[in-house]
Amino acid sequence: MSTPDNPEQYQQYPAGQSAPFAAPPVGAGYGQQQPVGAPRNGFGVTALVLGIIALVLCWTVWVGIVLGVLALIFGILGVKRVNRREATNKGAAIAGIVTGSIGLVIGAVILIAIGSIFASFGSQLNDLQDCLNKAGSDSSQIQSCQQQFSDNVQNR
């Protein structure tokens, strides 16, 4: 075996330090980007929170619809960030899309149902309101108005 002519050529470095021109870290393949900072998970979390609120408050119709749409938008943006490897919470973004969609659909169904009720019985409701306003506090007149409204609805 031969010994090196220059012993400083094979210098040892303390633990945790590497040579000045060390190889790239393990796992960093050619063309792969290393994460530069913390993942930007805001869109996914926002979508999830808005989706849950939309689902809980979907019976208020407008809140469910508006928050459902916002949850869908933020959820889609969150999934796009995950696909670009800028975020790590694809599950939260997808859950926001699902809950937002459900809140949106339930709110829309309730809105359609209320709209059809008012379209079908709008004139009867106006007649009932006029009758009750004329009746004032007379209980027999109020009962007469209620009976008239009931008859109009049943005959329809």
Side-chain angles (χ1 to χ4, degrees):
M1 281 191 113
S2 65
T3 59
D5 296 334
N6 186 1
E8 292 186 17
Q9 180 179 357
Y10 300 103
Q11 180 180 8
Q12 294 291 325
Y13 293 95
Q17 292 184 359
S18 61
F21 299 103
V26 176
Y30 180 75
Q32 291 180 341
Q33 295 179 347
Q34 290 294 320
V36 178
R40 296 168 33 190
N41 291 332
F43 284 158
V45 172
T46 303
L48 181 59
V49 170
L50 290 175
I52 291 170
I53 295 171
L55 193 57
V56 170
L57 298 179
C58 65
W59 59 272
T60 61
V61 180
W62 294 112
V63 174
I65 291 173
V66 170
L67 293 182
V69 168
L70 289 174
L72 281 172
I73 292 169
F74 282 110
I76 291 168
L77 292 174
V79 168
K80 286 184 177 183
R81 274 194 178 170
V82 169
N83 290 341
R84 289 190 311 255
R85 298 179 192 261
E86 295 174 357
T88 58
N89 63 342
K90 188 172 187 175
I94 291 173
I97 291 172
V98 170
T99 55
S101 299
I102 293 170
L104 173 66
V105 168
I106 292 173
V109 167
I110 291 172
L111 180 65
I112 291 169
I114 290 172
S116 67
I117 288 171
F118 277 112
S120 297
F121 301 108
S123 63
Q124 286 87 358
L125 289 171
N126 287 336
D127 293 343
L128 174 64
Q129 186 176 10
D130 291 339
C131 184
L132 291 174
N133 287 338
K134 291 177 186 174
S137 61
D138 184 11
S139 62
S140 64
Q141 189 67 12
I142 291 173
Q143 282 183 337
S144 173
C145 291
Q146 291 172 344
Q147 185 61 41
Q148 181 182 0
F149 175 74
S150 178
D151 292 343
N152 286 342
V153 170
Q154 289 177 356
N155 290 335
R156 188 148 194 184

